[in-house]
Amino acid sequence: MSASDRWWLAHPDTISPVIQTVVEGTGSIDVDALWSAVTAVATACPDTALRHTRKAWLAGGTPPRVRVVHGAADGTAVAGIDALHDPLPTPDGAWCEVLLCPGDPAAVVFRASHAVMDWPGMALWIADVFRVLRGEAPLGAADATTEDDIFDRFPAPAEKPPSPKIEWVSPLGQPSGSRRTAWARRTVDGYHRGLVAQVAAALTTAYELPSARFAVAFDLRRHVPGVRSTGNLSQVELFDCTAGAPWETFHEQVLTAMAEGREVSSRLDSGLLKLPRPILRTLVKAMEKGPADKRRYASATVVAHLGRIEPGSLCTDGFEARTLYPVPLLTAGSPPDLNLVECGGRTELTLTWRDGDGAAERMGAVLDTVTEALSPRRSRDWDGNTTSAAADPATVVQRLRQVVAQRPGAEAVRWPGGSLTFAELDARSEVVAARLLELGIGRDDVVGLFADRSMWAIIGMWGVLKAGAAYLPLDVQHPDARLAGLLTDAAARVCLVQDKYAGRSVTGPGCTVVLLSELATEGVPDVGVTPAPGDLAYVIYTSGSTGKPKGVEIEHAALANYVDWTTSRFGCGPDTAFAVFTSLAFDLSNTALFTPMLAGGTLVLVPDEPNHLTLRHLLEHSGADTLSLTPSHLDLIGQLDLDPAGFKVLVVVGEQLRSAVAARARAMFGPGCRVLNMYGPTEATVGLTLHECTAADDAAPAVPVGLPMDNCTVHLLDPQRRFVAAGEIGEMYLGGAQLARGYRNRPDLTSERFVHLADGTRVYRTGDLARVLPGGELEFIGRADDQVKVNGYRIEPAEIAHVLQRHPAVRAAVVVARTRPGAEHKQLHGYVVLEPGAEAADWDAFLGEHLPRYMVPSATTVIDAVPHNANGKVDVAALPDPHAAHAATGPAVTASGDEVRLAVARVWASTLSLDEARLDEAADFHHLGGNSVQLLAMLAGVCRDVVGAGAERAFMAELGSIIREPTLERVSDIARQARDGAPMAVPAAG
Ligand code: AMP
């Protein structure tokens, strides 16, 4: 038992200090499980079950009890809970106890008499209880080191430092009335440098004192490395803060004291504390009474920074902790007490005082001043976020039914050579829904959808939605192994398959295949399932940096909000014909899938992969008037010799839109066509900010991403999660109605990326950097991480590296995205270090079995070792450039061959900005840095300059062969044969 333990013990029960910590979150904890965990931890952390003799604490006292108590349902878990005022020890002699407060939020309150525990000690106890609740072993904190033991390790200073003169202060004013402990809590965004000093400076201002003294708490454990004790090992030191002085001055004082170890060198005179307890008790009473009666204290406030605690460490199966904050019970003579905890990207401030009339108002205002100093309102509030609008509660299923009733005979979907009316679509999708219901599919089930851009995909999608389930679109171009992995990951029990893909092996034993064409075309009465706004509508997978794609779960309410604002902003109505040529597994396609039809308009399917012929047909002859596409595709269109007709809206989304590309599109599509730049990740339902392009954008290199749309918000935070000042660059955190539920079956990833702001707003952390321009719109700046976009496809290079690493010959792998000198686009380069004695493999073939084509690096090179820089990160600059031989600086190879090859080489050179003299016949378009969109531009150029209009269909019919072997020689041969009308030669095997 240390001297200060005795001091606390000498307090009568009614004024004994109790430290209490609230762990607040969502979900529930079983009271018996909690009791078992607390009891188990009482052995690992013996200080939680102590008894004492006159001089010593002994293990084996009464273990903490667990009580279920109910608070007021006002959004704070512990409001109105009287048990927080109960003294400790409990009547049965326990010095610690635990309260379970069910509700939403729910809370667990850990309570301990200050005689047995301090704050850092309680943090160890709490973490162990949650460990045991999760089924892990407690780390324990059984060290019996006392404060006196620590003092004994440090020699007393030769000269005792003068005790500071006590200057009594009354920060509370002189309130009368109840003297119960009262609290106020505020949460501010982010972690703040010099937090204690910033808080002390703000408190000095708030108390309107010319100078204020603060008692700052220090944890003595830092002087005993490795000690694990829950005991009382904290001390306070006094520091003065002058009003108006920069907080850094106070910070310096505190740091200097820490550097000197002042808290262990200025030991209290413990002789006094060794007095017999009855005498000490009388003394304590007298000392507590004076300040309490007069409301004058030896310091303005006790300030304790309790450190950083991640909510993830306080979760169990059914309970997700959101935050943790202290609510101590103060002794009568204690000055106000301000406790600070950093938790989940936010800072919790709890100000505690002994109450009195008017004190709550005064202390609330004080806390507001401190909050404002840390997180100024002008940075938090941005006009752009005033977006709230009435939301239509109807889901897309209800809306479709309304359109079917109003316009049964209107064209819902069309494609070259066919169409479906709303009535036909309704009937056929109803059959699908009926079959799914028969199979037991329902709410929140995921159903795979394996179909290409044909009516089968649309019928299947609506069928799944009408069954109340969620669809998972699978891209038929992706390898089977990957698709099978997605279906398993999503736990899909059924997969709807279009006939022509029946032979592919994407489903495992647990997944029933339903062939879409085998379902009757009509004759089923309405199945009548109406999904609720909170039900899942779809799951779309995106690249995952941990090596596995992650499934984004979108609920109906989010989708309906997106459809609402896109309908009004894009001006969609019954006349709209919205075309889609992008993969249906790509969320940008959802705009076309839902918005036009639900406005009574038509979805125009472009079944073929985009190339200049399909694009020409689409833009000049399809009758479509609205299109959503990536900037890469828009750039390609701008390079083609096209004459678009009748387009009203182009929605560009998926990557940064360069002004030059937007300007070219405006000129090409004419003044009747609006070009819109939309921004958004899959996790926020396709898009949530919008900017309409005008000539005024041309001055900057890139077009702004605009403003958040209805019921959506954007918050710019720095790496410490503080709001940035106006105009500064911050990471975009997105809030509002369109946020995903999370990542399918990945609660860890979900809580890492979907977090909460201090005001409770749920936000998605994008990794995108942006700033607010002087004109008030958002400008996209780039990424804060390694994620890249290639032709609008979202790629985590780490996912590709993980796949490479699975190859038996590979010891280590890295994949980086690089921009070659002179090139505009990023290229993926893979690097592998081989296992000893292993041989290089056909990496492209291996990767192609597991990843979509766009994720296969343009080259994968064997290296001896992965170079790292001083920070331990991969040193990208030190990795060899696999295409250096072909780079503009490489040796010239005189282009040779007939006029066709020379002409093709000229097209390649202009597409890739290379010197044509460096292209030999073996030159490979991808290895030269060309991506798939540039390949299409190159082919269009070859058709124009070499093949001629009459033969371009024959040439383009060989697209598959060119994609497999994109060499100058092969392209030239095909061009020559097409032009001359010769039969196409089959390339030699291998
Ligand atoms: P995805 O989930 O595939 O839609 O990709 C989302 C990411 O694409 C965002 O986080 C951004 O990095 C990028 N992105 C989407 N739209 C835009 C845009 N208009 N401008 C810049 N980047 C964009």
Side-chain angles (χ1 to χ4, degrees), residues 892-911:
V893 276
T894 310
S896 61
D898 63 0
E899 34 117 12
V900 169
R901 185 171 301 157
L902 291 172
V904 172
R906 263 196 300 282
V907 176
W908 280 40
S910 88
T911 315

Side-chain angles (χ1 to χ4, degrees), residues 148-520:
D148 292 344
D149 297 334
I150 298 177
F151 283 137
D152 288 344
R153 290 176 171 219
F154 296 88
E159 217 174 292
K160 204 168 176 292
S163 304
K165 191 165 140 291
I166 294 187
E167 286 165 17
W168 299 99
V169 280
S170 265
L172 273 174
Q174 301 289 333
S176 56
S178 158
R179 296 275 162 108
R180 228 183 179 203
T181 298
W183 304 278
R185 170 180 157 231
R186 300 286 185 273
T187 310
V188 298
D189 288 290
Y191 299 147
H192 300 262
R193 201 164 67 83
L195 179 62
V196 166
Q198 288 205 55
V199 163
L203 280 173
T204 309
T205 310
Y207 289 147
E208 295 174 349
L209 294 169
S211 155
R213 176 161 294 167
F214 294 96
V216 177
F218 290 94
D219 181 4
L220 302 184
R221 288 170 184 76
R222 72 186 180 97
H223 297 284
V224 196
V227 72
R228 284 187 64 86
S229 160
T230 60
N232 235 329
L233 297 173
S234 295
Q235 279 293 323
V236 295
E237 288 292 318
L238 298 173
F239 298 91
D240 290 329
C241 183
T242 312
W247 62 263
E248 285 86 350
T249 313
F250 191 89
H251 190 48
E252 198 182 315
Q253 288 179 51
V254 175
L255 289 185
T256 307
M258 286 184 80
E260 291 170 353
R262 205 178 295 164
E263 73 274 27
V264 281
S265 57
S266 59
R267 174 179 197 158
L268 288 171
D269 180 356
S270 58
L272 187 70
L273 302 173
K274 287 184 180 146
L275 292 171
R277 187 156 310 145
I279 301 178
L280 200 54
R281 214 167 257 261
T282 315
L283 196 72
V284 163
K285 267 194 183 161
M287 286 179 72
E288 289 278 352
K289 195 168 169 352
D293 285 353
K294 299 199 187 95
R295 296 288 181 153
R296 282 152 55 93
Y297 307 103
S299 68
T301 303
V302 179
V303 182
H305 186 340
L306 309 173
R308 192 170 296 183
I309 294 176
E310 281 315 319
S313 65
L314 309 174
C315 290
T316 70
D317 258 359
F319 176 78
E320 192 184 330
R322 177 96 31 100
T323 192
L324 168 148
Y325 53 91
V327 285
L329 272 187
L330 300 185
T331 65
S334 169
D337 192 73
L338 182 59
N339 286 292
L340 312 164
V341 188
E342 295 173 330
C343 189
R346 302 168 301 259
T347 301
E348 295 284 3
L349 300 98
T350 321
L351 184 57
T352 310
W353 64 92
R354 294 286 286 205
D355 213 0
D357 296 337
E361 292 72 29
R362 171 157 169 79
M363 295 314 253
V366 164
L367 209 42
D368 286 338
T369 304
V370 177
T371 305
E372 178 65 17
L374 292 173
S375 181
R377 180 163 288 281
R378 63 174 183 283
S379 302
R380 280 180 282 143
D381 290 350
W382 172 48
D383 287 349
N385 281 337
T386 316
T387 58
S388 84
D392 178 351
T395 65
V396 291
V397 172
Q398 288 156 297
R399 293 173 194 209
L400 182 74
R401 290 194 176 122
Q402 282 163 13
V403 178
V404 171
Q406 287 159 5
R407 305 172 50 81
E411 195 178 54
V413 192
R414 80 164 177 262
W415 59 92
S419 68
L420 282 179
T421 63
F422 279 101
E424 287 164 340
L425 172 63
D426 186 48
R428 299 196 66 163
S429 54
E430 210 70 30
V431 177
V432 176
R435 177 78 184 109
L436 291 173
L437 291 172
E438 261 170 40
L439 289 168
I441 291 296
R443 188 166 174 259
D444 280 3
D445 279 331
V446 171
V447 176
L449 182 56
F450 194 36
D452 53 25
R453 271 188 308 282
S454 62
M455 71 164 188
W456 298 111
I458 311 308
I459 292 170
M461 177 187 94
W462 282 108
V464 176
L465 293 170
K466 286 172 162 192
Y471 70 93
L472 160 61
L474 299 169
D475 190 327
V476 296
Q477 310 262 4
H478 291 189
D480 290 0
R482 182 179 178 87
L483 298 177
L486 302 189
L487 282 169
T488 309
D489 188 79
R493 286 194 291 118
V494 177
C495 186
L496 299 175
V497 178
Q498 183 182 352
D499 275 30
K500 66 188 210 208
Y501 302 110
R504 300 263 303 261
S505 34
V506 299
T507 50
C511 186
T512 308
V513 169
V514 173
L515 284 184
L516 282 160
S517 64
E518 282 183 358
L519 297 173

Side-chain angles (χ1 to χ4, degrees), residues 22 68 137 167 254 347 398 500 509 535 612 679 684 714 811 829 854 860 870 886:
V22 182
V68 178
E167 286 165 17
V254 175
T347 301
Q398 288 156 297
K500 66 188 210 208
D535 290 350
H612 69 280
Y679 159 86
V714 176
R811 180 141 56 110
H829 293 177
Y854 60 80
T860 298
H886 301 285

Side-chain angles (χ1 to χ4, degrees), residues 431-637:
V431 177
V432 176
R435 177 78 184 109
L436 291 173
L437 291 172
E438 261 170 40
L439 289 168
I441 291 296
R443 188 166 174 259
D444 280 3
D445 279 331
V446 171
V447 176
L449 182 56
F450 194 36
D452 53 25
R453 271 188 308 282
S454 62
M455 71 164 188
W456 298 111
I458 311 308
I459 292 170
M461 177 187 94
W462 282 108
V464 176
L465 293 170
K466 286 172 162 192
Y471 70 93
L472 160 61
L474 299 169
D475 190 327
V476 296
Q477 310 262 4
H478 291 189
D480 290 0
R482 182 179 178 87
L483 298 177
L486 302 189
L487 282 169
T488 309
D489 188 79
R493 286 194 291 118
V494 177
C495 186
L496 299 175
V497 178
Q498 183 182 352
D499 275 30
K500 66 188 210 208
Y501 302 110
R504 300 263 303 261
S505 34
V506 299
T507 50
C511 186
T512 308
V513 169
V514 173
L515 284 184
L516 282 160
S517 64
E518 282 183 358
L519 297 173
T521 52
E522 55 195 48
V524 171
D526 283 1
V527 291
V529 174
T530 301
D535 290 350
L536 269 194
Y538 64 80
V539 175
I540 284 188
Y541 275 79
T542 79
S543 185
S545 59
T546 53
K548 254 179 85 175
K550 47 194 195 226
V552 180
E553 299 182 313
I554 298 294
E555 296 176 352
H556 274 281
L559 179 58
N561 192 77
Y562 178 68
V563 170
D564 275 342
W565 75 256
T566 48
T567 308
S568 67
R569 304 297 163 123
F570 302 170
C572 290
D575 297 332
T576 299
F578 204 134
V580 64
F581 67 82
T582 39
S583 162
L584 302 186
F586 195 9
D587 87 332
L588 88 75
S589 303
N590 280 2
T591 320
L593 295 188
F594 292 99
T595 306
M597 276 200 258
L598 298 178
T602 307
L603 162 65
V604 179
L605 295 171
V606 181
D608 295 324
E609 289 309 300
N611 60 52
H612 69 280
L613 297 184
T614 47
L615 289 172
R616 182 182 302 150
H617 176 80
L618 165 66
L619 298 177
E620 296 180 354
H621 307 292
S622 69
D625 62 6
T626 309
L627 183 63
S628 174
L629 71 180
T630 64
S632 301
H633 279 120
L634 189 62
D635 191 8
L636 168 68
I637 288 170

Side-chain angles (χ1 to χ4, degrees), residues 654-656 677-682 705 768 780 783 789 794:
E655 57 194 319
Q656 189 156 37
N677 185 21
M678 180 166 78
Y679 159 86
T682 309
V705 292
D768 291 322
F780 176 87
R783 289 290 304 176
K789 281 280 178 151
R794 171 167 158 186

